[in-house]
């Protein structure tokens, strides 16, 4: 565990609203909004490849928050979350600075791939180096131009291909400042996740920048529920930071529950998978989650849950090899009550006639 201070750092820009912010060689004064194309490594053809960054600075002082997506190039929900975030009318009342980076791993995004062309995982390459591999150089650009300019961060992710995650926040919840932001995001379930070497979250922790990792949906797919929940979550954090006006609530939402532990239930043998439970469901100990059968139906094997808990991740591919991870079950106190909260959370974020401006069937998000 990092020994970074629990107190987030405070930038000069947050204390002095007249101070200019410089990103990519461009100086940005308060009250301005612009898109900056940060150069990253070129393509084989010598064509220039850039990372697009949108910066919105309020006229009044406040913290600097970055929101990033597609650190893994095939994780697309976050790209749409940021697009909708930038269209919200409430940003006209912004205090401080919002740095939006919808596509961090541009190489992987273009190739529909989690990884970079050198097969490295960008989220194991931080803080990077200006003279290293493609992944290392890209990580270095992000750290020097984005992370080093921010007070807080939200990194948006999804599950892998054919594997979906229930909306959840992963963070170092031992720090009060991070826990408060995680609760403000509004997911019913928080994961107190350890820091992984080379990850953006680990480096942010070393730099004293509280960072939330939002996991929801699966790779290469837009999931409306996860997207809507993500937009609401980011704006909830911005309100907590004083970047957006607080909204009056008739009732205080239930406090999120922190998962004490989790484990993957794996396929005992190869075959055709027939699933019985969905994301967000409560499962009891020894409950049958699915069956695996041979193609002829001559044999069928049960997959049971080792522990009681909430299903926070699952495979949607109906084919499985022995040992494949199929169901991710989080252990929480009062799991049945948490499951009812998850159901209410899902209902609150179901697709309806909402449009990007928040001008249709329900009040604006901001």
């Amino acid at each position: 565990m990092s020994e970074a201070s629990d107190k987030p750092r405070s930038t000069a820009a947050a204390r002095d609203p007249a101070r200019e912010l410089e990103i990519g060689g461009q100086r940005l004064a308060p009250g301005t909004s612009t898109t900056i194309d940060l150069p990253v490594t070129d393509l084989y053809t010598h064509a220039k490849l850039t990372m697009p960054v949108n910066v919105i600075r309020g006229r009044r002082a406040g913290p600097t928050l970055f929101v990033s997506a597609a650190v893994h190039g095939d994780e697309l929900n976050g790209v749409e979350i940021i697009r909708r975030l930038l269209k919200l009318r409430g940003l006209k009342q912004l205090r401080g600075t919002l740095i939006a980076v919808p596509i961090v791993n541009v190489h992987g995004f273009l190739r529909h791939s989690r990884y970079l062309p050198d097969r490295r995982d960008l989220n194991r390459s931080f803080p990077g180096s200006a003279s290293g591999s493609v992944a290392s150089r890209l990580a270095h650009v992000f750290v020097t131009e984005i992370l080093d300019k921010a007070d807080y961060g939200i990194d948006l992710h999804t599950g892998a291909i054919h594997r979906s995650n229930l909306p959840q926040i992963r963070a170092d919840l031992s720090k009060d400042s991070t826990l408060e932001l995680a609760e403000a995001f509004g997911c019913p379930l928080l994961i107190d996740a350890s820091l992984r070497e080379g990850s953006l979250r680990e480096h942010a922790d070393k730099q004293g920048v509280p960072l939330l990792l939002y996991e929801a949906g699966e790779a290469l797919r837009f999931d409306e529920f996860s997207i809507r929940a993500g937009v609401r979550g980011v704006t909830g954090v911005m309100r907590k930071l004083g970047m957006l006006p607080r909204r009056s609530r008739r009732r205080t939402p239930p406090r999120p529950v922190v998962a004490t532990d989790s484990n993957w239930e794996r396929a005992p043998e190869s075959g055709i998978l027939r699933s019985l439970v969905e994301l967000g469901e409560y499962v009891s100990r020894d409950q049958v989650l699915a069956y695996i059968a041979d193609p002829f139906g001559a044999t069928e094997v049960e997959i049971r849950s080792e522990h009681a808990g909430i299903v926070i991740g699952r495979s949607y591919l109906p084919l499985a090899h022995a040992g494949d991870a199929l169901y991710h079950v989080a252990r929480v106190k009062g799991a049945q009550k948490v499951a009812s909260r998850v159901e209410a959370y899902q209902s609150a974020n179901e697709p309806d006639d909402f449009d990007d401006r928040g001008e249709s069937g329900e009040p604006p998000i901001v």
Side-chain angles (χ1 to χ4, degrees):
M1 188 63 68
S2 168
E3 296 181 357
S5 170
D6 179 48
K7 185 177 181 180
R9 71 186 185 193
S10 178
T11 65
R15 298 191 300 269
D16 180 5
R19 183 181 177 88
E20 289 189 339
L21 172 70
E22 183 174 322
I23 295 179
Q26 295 190 40
R27 293 184 177 181
L28 309 169
T32 61
S33 175
T34 189
T35 297
I36 301 168
D37 292 320
L38 293 178
V40 296
T41 52
D42 297 343
L43 299 175
Y44 300 126
T45 61
H46 281 208
K48 299 297 180 183
L49 193 64
T50 60
M51 181 197 306
V53 178
N54 190 276
V55 184
I56 303 175
R57 298 206 68 193
R59 294 187 180 279
R60 293 176 290 180
T64 297
L65 169 73
F66 79 78
V67 183
S68 57
V71 166
H72 294 131
D74 59 356
E75 298 183 358
L76 306 182
N77 277 338
V79 180
E80 178 65 5
I81 289 171
I82 291 178
R83 188 190 72 82
R84 296 189 190 185
L85 175 68
L86 294 174
K87 290 173 69 68
L88 295 177
R89 294 174 302 179
L91 293 181
K92 295 178 181 179
Q93 304 176 62
L94 179 70
R95 289 176 177 264
T97 301
L98 173 65
I99 304 175
V101 192
I103 306 165
V104 179
N105 182 354
V106 184
H107 280 285
F109 185 80
L110 293 174
R111 297 167 59 242
H112 305 170
S113 171
R114 176 183 179 89
Y115 304 107
L116 285 148
D118 57 5
R119 293 299 300 166
R120 294 177 188 268
D121 185 337
L122 179 58
N123 210 26
R124 299 294 180 270
S125 303
F126 289 94
S129 166
S131 59
S133 66
V134 174
S136 186
R137 291 173 186 234
L138 183 54
H140 176 74
V141 169
F142 188 88
V143 166
T144 56
E145 296 288 356
I146 307 299
L147 179 63
D148 286 351
K149 313 293 174 66
D151 302 302
Y152 304 91
I154 301 175
D155 193 25
L156 308 172
H157 286 259
T158 75
I161 295 176
H162 306 308
R163 187 178 294 168
S164 186
N165 286 330
L166 182 76
Q168 58 197 258
I169 287 293
R170 299 182 183 182
D172 178 6
L173 303 179
S174 66
K175 295 182 172 62
D176 291 340
S177 57
T178 305
L179 177 59
E180 289 176 1
L181 296 184
E183 292 176 342
F185 199 96
C187 287
L189 191 67
L190 310 180
I191 310 294
D192 191 3
S194 58
L195 298 169
R196 293 191 176 185
E197 184 177 358
S199 68
L200 175 59
R201 196 162 63 87
E202 183 209 36
H203 185 67
D205 182 79
K206 290 180 179 178
Q207 298 300 106
V209 179
L211 188 146
L212 304 181
L213 193 151
Y214 174 63
E215 283 273 4
E218 65 177 296
L220 295 177
R221 296 287 184 273
F222 273 176
D223 177 69
E224 184 64 21
F225 163 50
S226 299
I227 292 167
R228 288 170 58 84
V231 176
R232 291 179 187 274
V234 173
T235 55
V237 171
M238 293 177 72
R239 291 192 192 97
K240 179 68 176 180
L241 293 173
M243 299 177 71
L244 294 175
R246 295 286 185 103
R247 291 178 64 185
S248 59
R249 293 181 179 273
R250 295 180 181 177
R251 293 184 302 174
T252 302
R255 188 172 183 178
V257 174
V258 178
T260 56
D261 199 1
S262 66
N263 66 283
W264 279 95
E265 302 297 348
R266 298 180 178 273
E269 62 181 57
S270 301
I272 311 298
L273 178 69
R274 179 162 61 92
S275 297
L276 303 180
V277 300
E278 277 294 339
L279 289 175
E281 284 192 37
Y282 165 78
V283 293
S284 58
R285 182 178 180 181
D286 208 36
Q287 178 177 334
V288 177
L289 305 177
Y291 295 96
I292 289 185
D294 68 89
F296 307 104
T299 61
E300 193 169 66
V301 177
E302 297 176 338
I303 301 172
R304 294 180 177 270
S305 179
E306 183 178 355
H307 304 279
I310 305 294
V311 177
I312 62 171
R314 57 154 294 188
S315 171
Y316 277 94
L317 187 66
L319 310 173
H321 284 119
D324 281 356
L326 302 178
Y327 287 93
H328 194 190
V329 180
R331 297 195 285 280
V332 296
K333 293 181 179 179
Q336 288 177 305
K337 183 180 293 186
V338 175
S340 66
R341 292 182 187 176
V342 170
E343 185 176 353
Y345 177 76
Q346 290 171 324
S347 297
N349 289 284
E350 282 181 352
D352 53 16
D353 56 351
F354 170 82
D355 68 13
D356 289 329
R357 298 180 302 276
E359 292 176 346
S360 49
E362 64 174 29
I365 287 183
V366 178

